[in-house]
Amino acid sequence: MLKLLAFLAALYITGDCAAQSLISATEINPTKEYDNVYVERIAGDSLVSTFIIWIKENVPMHKHQYHSENVIVIEGTAIMTLGDKQQEIKAGDIIFIPANTWHDVRVTSETPLKVVSVKSPYDDGKDVIIYKKQ
């Protein structure tokens, strides 16, 4: 779990962001091999951070203490828990995750889930809280 957090935090901090850019999310592919989750920052400034995320299996239950997140599903399917509700998500779906809301993802497709994640305000990965069973 800590390994995943460290990996995500390192990826959040890296990446060049153009002042203005047009990017085709369907044409972006991971730039290296990954086990379960790969995050690539594609744009951002002091107010917002935008990432493409590939998930092969799952993302554990967590929340972002200070950030709201919009997720746009590009490819794949999954079951997402958002608060106390579970729902299937698929390409074309847009999900809004308010700050401080528990959420997780379990991939159900044979191909990785690919999403665009837009977080506001700027996200450096330091406000992620992983759920710990009591």
Side-chain angles (χ1 to χ4, degrees), residues 49-97:
S49 302
T50 305
F51 308 92
I52 292 192
I53 304 171
W54 292 265
I55 305 158
K56 290 182 178 177
E57 297 174 14
N58 69 322
V59 174
M61 185 69 70
H62 68 286
K63 65 182 178 177
H64 309 275
Q65 194 169 14
Y66 306 111
H67 295 91
S68 294
E69 180 177 15
N70 286 284
V71 174
I72 302 104
V73 181
I74 305 301
E75 297 173 359
T77 60
I79 300 297
M80 174 178 254
T81 303
L82 184 57
D84 61 358
K85 184 190 280 187
Q86 276 195 344
Q87 54 199 15
E88 182 177 18
I89 60 173
K90 61 189 179 326
D93 288 349
I94 301 170
I95 303 106
F96 174 67
I97 306 168

Side-chain angles (χ1 to χ4, degrees), residues 24-62:
S24 174
T26 58
E27 295 178 12
I28 296 176
N29 294 306
T31 56
K32 61 183 178 181
E33 292 293 319
Y34 64 101
D35 291 328
N36 180 33
V37 178
Y38 181 72
V39 180
E40 186 169 320
R41 183 172 171 190
I42 58 171
D45 60 19
S46 64
L47 302 175
V48 65
S49 302
T50 305
F51 308 92
I52 292 192
I53 304 171
W54 292 265
I55 305 158
K56 290 182 178 177
E57 297 174 14
N58 69 322
V59 174
M61 185 69 70
H62 68 286

